[in-house]
Amino acid sequence: MIALAVPYEDFWFHDGPWTEQDYLALPPGGPKIELLDGRLIVSPAARTAHQRLMRRLANLLEHGAPEEPAVEIELNVRVGPHKIFIPDVVATYKGGGEVLVQDPRDVLLIVEVLSPSNCGEEWIEKNRLYAKAGLEWYLLVELDEAGEDPTLILWRLDTMRHYREVGRAGCGGTLELPEPLGSIDPADLLKRHP
């Protein structure tokens, strides 16, 4: 357990816009916090089903590419000056504890799990900024109301820096992922894996 010199609540009292340095000085743990143009976007921890799906997807991606890239859950990714987002899953060539913020050039794939509770304007803005940052591959996991029927949609950045859909699969189908991640059947996200 890490003891903080300043009570956690005191970090929220902040004058002026948040800088990247201010953001990176926040204590670990707690809610999901992202930085966008001097303001913090604070989200509660994802629901259990969302977390389980992220973990299973990360495991499947890692199994498809056992050496590189590293596949992690909720890494800091810089998408512009004073803009740091935390995608649900990230496949990166710069894994490990030594990297605090991922550079978009080192990221192969980002994944966001989209459910009815997080599909509003914030997601549209994230999508735009991911594209502007040059993140080439973007996997979207859409869930139905019950969270029981995932659809995977793979997007690739075009020369105009817009995402274009290049593949889609529902349960029982197969989605080919960028090399070396292999392929995946969304039904596997509903099964328990060791």
Side-chain angles (χ1 to χ4, degrees):
M1 182 173 169
I2 298 173
L4 299 173
V6 179
Y8 188 81
E9 297 81 22
D10 290 351
F11 279 92
W12 299 110
F13 297 106
H14 183 80
D15 291 328
W18 285 80
T19 65
E20 189 170 312
Q21 183 178 0
D22 298 330
Y23 171 80
L24 295 175
L26 287 169
K32 180 176 178 176
I33 303 171
E34 298 173 301
L35 177 66
L36 179 60
D37 295 329
R39 62 188 172 90
L40 299 181
I41 300 170
V42 182
S43 306
R47 293 181 178 175
T48 304
H50 186 116
Q51 291 179 9
R52 184 180 310 119
L53 191 138
M54 288 178 358
R55 177 180 44 80
R56 288 179 181 167
L57 180 58
N59 289 346
L60 289 168
L61 294 175
E62 197 168 61
H63 180 72
E67 293 184 28
E68 276 201 335
V71 180
E72 306 290 347
I73 295 173
E74 295 187 333
L75 292 180
N76 296 312
V77 177
R78 183 177 290 108
V79 296
H82 305 291
K83 294 175 180 69
I84 298 175
F85 289 152
I86 305 173
D88 289 323
V89 179
V90 179
T92 177
Y93 291 104
K94 293 275 180 133
E98 70 279 355
V99 179
L100 184 56
V101 180
Q102 298 290 319
D103 186 286
R105 293 172 293 194
D106 299 322
V107 173
L108 171 62
L109 174 75
I110 56 167
V111 181
E112 290 284 2
V113 178
L114 190 63
S115 60
S117 64
N118 69 352
C119 61
E121 289 181 29
E122 178 186 320
W123 178 80
I124 294 168
E125 179 69 358
K126 276 187 167 185
N127 187 5
R128 186 184 71 77
L129 290 171
Y130 285 150
K132 189 174 179 182
L135 291 157
E136 183 179 5
W137 293 98
Y138 184 8
L139 180 61
L140 185 65
V141 182
E142 285 187 343
L143 297 174
D144 65 3
E145 289 286 338
E148 295 296 323
D149 190 22
T151 298
L152 301 181
I153 306 166
L154 184 62
W155 305 80
R156 188 172 190 181
L157 203 60
D158 67 16
T159 56
M160 301 298 292
R161 293 226 174 187
H162 296 101
Y163 284 114
R164 301 287 179 224
E165 184 176 323
V166 295
R168 176 184 292 253
C171 290
T174 300
L175 181 67
E176 294 296 327
L177 298 169
E179 288 296 326
L181 297 174
S183 62
I184 189 170
D185 176 349
D188 290 338
L189 298 175
L190 304 176
K191 300 175 184 173
R192 295 188 184 276
H193 294 280

